[in-house]
Structure formats: structure tokens, C-alpha cells
Amino acid sequence: MSMQYPRYPAYKDSGVEWLGEVPEHWEVLPVKWIGKIINGATPDSKEPRFWNGDIQWFTPVDIPDDKVGVLYHSSRSLTQDGLSSCAVRIAPPNSVILTTRAPVGNVGVTTVPSTTNQGCRALAPYQFNEALYVAMVLLICRSELLVRSNGTTFLELSSEKLGSFQLPTPPPQEQSTIATFLDHQTAKIDALIAEQRHLIELLKEKRSALITHAVTKGLDPNVKMKDSGVEWLGEVPEHWEVLPVKWIGKIINGATPDSKEPRFWNGDIQWFTPVDIPDDKVGVLYHSSRSLTQDGLSSCAVRIAPPNSVILTTRAPVGNVGVTTVPSTTNQGCRALAPYQFNEALYVAMVLLICRSELLVRSNGTTFLELSSEKLGSFQLPTPPPQEQSTIATFLDHQTAKIDALMAEAERSISLMQERRNALISAAVTGKIDVRGLVDA
């Protein structure tokens, strides 16, 4: 960074360990001297007249986690009655909102008069201080703010700890110059990040279309087709069958041993739950995040699925898929499908992957949707002859690996650009680079 941008002519020790040296003419001030800290509160959630009014009420879910958010609308809002009921104070437009628990350190700048819940604190900068500059400084201080947070259930940054936190503070005009420079420069980086994210979405669509065509129409463009008799499936190759899942493999339900019994856990038996199954491709499943002992297995009569079984999440969420590499069990959020002889697990998994919306339609529940064993068992799948299943699976394995490699490359580009953005912000707001002559240029 210092090679690209000039440094200030003279520096002094800030007296703050994490900050190091700052430009000689800057001050280092506690947050409470920079702006007024306004705590949040929550009206009674069961009182309809307190909610859905004109007063914005920001909570941590409204604040982005990787950049300074520009905050126009909160996901929930208060009425004047709601505001009065909990004595929450309104922060003026151009206040900084900082999440101070679950998580600590996400930042936004308001555009309208606003309130927050207890998971945020607003900082209304005193005259002359520039909200965007202050927000940028707080953004790069996340790890320092976390160190100052306390709590057992969750970490929280108190008003006192936030108020005494020391920030580098240039003169007002310079704060504004730095904020303008960073606004322009980070917008360019954000545009490049958005391009890479768009590329990833296009690649996901391409992968999904490739899988869908191969597992429903086959690889031979000249093959004769027939009506499958299944509305969502349409035509399939004439020599394929359309079979219910229960004819393709044995469905094995999951169970959970007593979580308070130590001798049931941390054994050698893999126990997959929905958290272990990726949500956008067929996962290759080697290890589960938790495992069972033989006692744990016996305690709940859960059965082991052989290697090369398909694991399907059947609640919270429905439709994520993986293929096991070892003997495995699952909890009640998944069902294993052990394909009968000749059926190819990877092919079956690829078909189930592209059937997520159809499986969701067949799911029931009030608290959460769940796909029952019966509904899964009767679900119709296109079923080529065994050798063709294997050929299609191999083709898709190779082709999707290429697409996945391109997506991984795009993800790496995003990470590098995010690092560059953070480094640029950090260097500018701590005075490691001098951008005063660059804004007009």
C-alpha cells in the first residue's frame, strides 16, 4: 500500500498499541468525544400498535458484515407508541450504527432518523466529525472491539467499553477527504466483487442445467424419447425406466442418541446431520461433525448405511445431497438411501439434487417442512440402465469439477479483493497513507 500512495510528512506515536504511529497533526480520541452513543431497546413484540410504523428500527440482521452499509430501511419499524413504550431514543440521519452483540463490529451509516434494538448502538457524530470516516475506522477495528467485549452466552461490547475506545481523528476536512477517497475506491472494488459474484451465479446455473439435462435426457442427442408419465419430468429416453425411489434403494431413517450421555458420542461411527451436507452440489462425505460410539448406535436403534449411500436432507432444509465414502448413520433431519445392486449412487444423488423444488412440494409441516419416508419412497426418478447411469455420473463428475474449479477461482478473486479493500481502508483511516492530494484527481 505504501508503494502506491504517499505517506504523511511527519508522524507521532499514538499511544495506542494496535494503532502505532499516526500523522503528527491528528488526534487520538475516545469514541464518546467523537459522538453521542445512543443505546437501543425493543418494545413488546406482542403489542401490534407498537409495530409497522414510520420509525426505522435497525437490528444486527440489517447491517452488512463485510462493508459499511448505507441504511435506508430496517426490516422492522416502530410506531410512535412503540417508541414511547420503551424510551428508546432516535438517532439523527448520518449516524453510525454499530452491532455490539451477535455479532460485534458490523457497521452502517443511516440516511434517516433511526432507532435500534439492544444488539446495536448508534453513534451520532458531534458537529464537524464525518460519519462515513468514523464508520470506516470502526469497520477495520472489529478484532479490537471483540477483544473488549464480554459475555458467556454471547459477546457484547458495552457502552462504556465502546465510549472509551480510542480512534484516530484527523481534522474535519481531512476526515471528509479520506471518506470521499475511500467511497470512490471501495465502490470500484465492490463493482469488481459484484462481477465475480454474478459469474458464480451464472456458473451455478450452467452446472444445474448441465446436470438436469444429463440425468433426465441422457447424453445421446439422437436417442428416441417417450413420455415419462411424470409431469415435472416430461420426456425421457425410450429405453429408460421411471421408478419410485423405494425400488432404487433402501431408505434408512436417522435417529439421535441422548445428547447428555457422554459414552454415546465421539466414537468411530459417522453420524451425518443437515449441517454436514452442502447446499449447492453433491457432497462427498468422509467425516461428520459429530460421531457415535457402538453404545450410542445401540441406544437409539439407528441403522448403518453402507458406503456409497446417498444422504438426503429431509428437513431444515429439504433437498441437500451427499454420497458417503464410509459406513454411516444420520439424525432425523436426513434419510440415507442405499442403492440396490447395479444402481449408481452418484447418478441417483445428481437426480435428487435437481429435484429439490419437487421434493419441497411433497413436504409437510408447520414448524418446518419435512419430507416423509413414504413421500420420498414414492417419488419417481428417471432410471437409465446401470452402465448408462455410470457413464452419466462419470461425465457429470468431470464436467462439474471444471465448473467448480472456475467458481473456486472466482471465490479466491473475491477474497483477494476484499483483503485489498480492507487494507486500503485501514491504511487511509489510520494515516499510513496520505490521500489528501488524490481526491480531486
Side-chain angles (χ1 to χ4, degrees):
M1 205 60 66
S2 56
M3 290 173 65
Q4 273 186 290
Y5 300 103
R7 282 173 61 77
Y8 281 86
Y11 286 84
K12 66 182 178 187
D13 182 18
S14 68
V16 176
E17 191 181 350
W18 70 268
L19 189 51
E21 288 189 329
V22 293
E24 197 171 43
H25 63 289
W26 286 24
E27 292 183 280
V28 178
L29 301 175
V31 167
K32 62 188 172 190
W33 290 14
I34 290 168
K36 183 179 182 63
I37 296 170
I38 302 171
N39 295 331
T42 301
D44 183 346
S45 60
K46 299 194 182 84
E47 181 51 76
R49 67 192 175 89
F50 292 169
W51 298 93
N52 302 318
D54 299 325
I55 301 162
Q56 303 306 310
W57 181 74
F58 290 102
T59 74
V61 300
D62 298 308
I63 319 297
D65 69 349
D66 61 343
K67 63 181 179 180
V68 174
V70 181
L71 307 178
Y72 300 98
H73 300 290
S74 51
S75 44
R76 298 187 72 189
S77 58
L78 306 185
T79 60
Q80 192 60 50
D81 283 344
L83 184 74
S84 308
S85 76
C86 62
V88 67
R89 285 173 299 165
I90 289 184
N94 226 30
S95 289
V96 178
I97 306 284
L98 176 74
T99 63
T100 49
R101 71 169 169 206
V104 172
N106 294 351
V107 190
V109 174
T110 64
T111 56
V112 289
S114 307
T115 59
T116 74
N117 79 341
Q118 303 91 315
C120 302
R121 301 187 202 284
L123 179 69
Y126 295 131
Q127 200 174 8
F128 308 128
N129 285 316
E130 168 69 45
L132 183 56
Y133 170 82
V134 175
M136 293 276 193
V137 184
L138 288 171
L139 182 71
I140 61 106
C141 292
R142 182 177 292 167
S143 60
E144 293 299 323
L145 296 174
L146 269 169
V147 168
R148 289 157 178 79
S149 303
N150 297 98
T152 46
T153 315
F154 49 75
L155 289 175
E156 178 162 18
L157 180 68
S158 68
S159 282
E160 293 69 31
K161 287 283 175 67
L162 173 59
S164 63
F165 186 68
Q166 304 272 311
L167 293 188
T169 312
Q173 181 55 50
E174 203 169 330
Q175 288 183 35
S176 183
T177 299
I178 293 169
T180 302
F181 168 79
L182 288 174
D183 202 28
H184 290 166
Q185 295 301 315
T186 57
K188 290 179 193 172
I189 297 172
D190 288 342
L192 294 172
I193 289 172
E195 276 178 26
Q196 292 299 309
R197 289 200 168 126
H198 181 58
L199 172 62
I200 289 169
E201 289 310 308
L202 291 175
L203 288 167
K204 280 182 182 175
E205 285 172 22
K206 180 177 178 178
R207 184 176 62 188
S208 183
L210 181 74
I211 294 170
T212 301
H213 190 274
V215 300
T216 60
K217 310 300 177 199
L219 302 178
D220 179 359
N222 303 313
V223 71
K224 278 190 175 179
M225 306 295 280
K226 67 178 179 187
D227 181 18
S228 67
V230 177
E231 190 179 349
W232 70 268
L233 189 50
E235 289 192 326
V236 295
E238 197 174 48
H239 63 289
W240 286 22
E241 293 183 280
V242 178
L243 302 176
V245 166
K246 63 188 171 189
W247 290 15
I248 289 168
K250 183 179 182 63
I251 296 169
I252 302 171
N253 295 330
T256 302
D258 183 345
S259 60
K260 298 192 183 86
E261 183 50 77
R263 68 193 174 86
F264 291 169
W265 299 94
N266 302 318
D268 299 324
I269 301 163
Q270 303 306 310
W271 181 73
F272 290 102
T273 72
V275 300
D276 298 307
I277 318 298
D279 68 350
D280 62 344
K281 62 180 180 180
V282 174
V284 182
L285 307 177
Y286 300 96
H287 300 290
S288 51
S289 44
R290 298 187 71 189
S291 59
L292 307 184
T293 60
Q294 192 60 50
D295 284 344
L297 185 73
S298 308
S299 74
C300 62
V302 67
R303 286 174 297 165
I304 289 184
N308 227 30
S309 289
V310 178
I311 306 284
L312 176 74
T313 63
T314 49
R315 69 158 99 142
V318 172
N320 294 350
V321 190
V323 175
T324 64
T325 56
V326 289
S328 307
T329 58
T330 74
N331 78 340
Q332 303 92 313
C334 302
R335 302 188 200 285
L337 179 69
Y340 296 131
Q341 200 175 9
F342 308 130
N343 285 318
E344 168 69 46
L346 183 56
Y347 170 82
V348 175
M350 292 277 194
V351 184
L352 289 170
L353 182 70
I354 60 104
C355 293
R356 182 177 293 167
S357 58
E358 294 300 323
L359 295 173
L360 269 170
V361 168
R362 289 158 177 79
S363 303
N364 297 97
T366 47
T367 315
F368 49 76
L369 289 175
E370 179 163 18
L371 180 68
S372 67
S373 282
E374 293 69 32
K375 288 282 175 67
L376 174 59
S378 61
F379 186 68
Q380 305 272 311
L381 293 189
T383 312
Q387 183 54 53
E388 196 171 345
Q389 287 183 37
S390 184
T391 302
I392 292 170
T394 302
F395 167 80
L396 287 176
D397 202 26
H398 290 164
Q399 295 301 314
T400 57
K402 291 179 192 173
I403 295 172
D404 289 344
L406 293 172
M407 285 166 61
E409 201 175 301
E411 293 284 6
R412 274 194 300 276
S413 294
I414 289 171
S415 292
L416 288 170
M417 286 187 277
Q418 286 172 333
E419 283 172 26
R420 174 175 166 71
R421 183 178 61 192
N422 290 345
L424 183 65
I425 293 171
S426 181
V429 300
T430 60
K432 304 299 182 279
I433 59 174
D434 182 355
V435 301
R436 289 175 296 180
L438 303 175
V439 170
D440 293 337

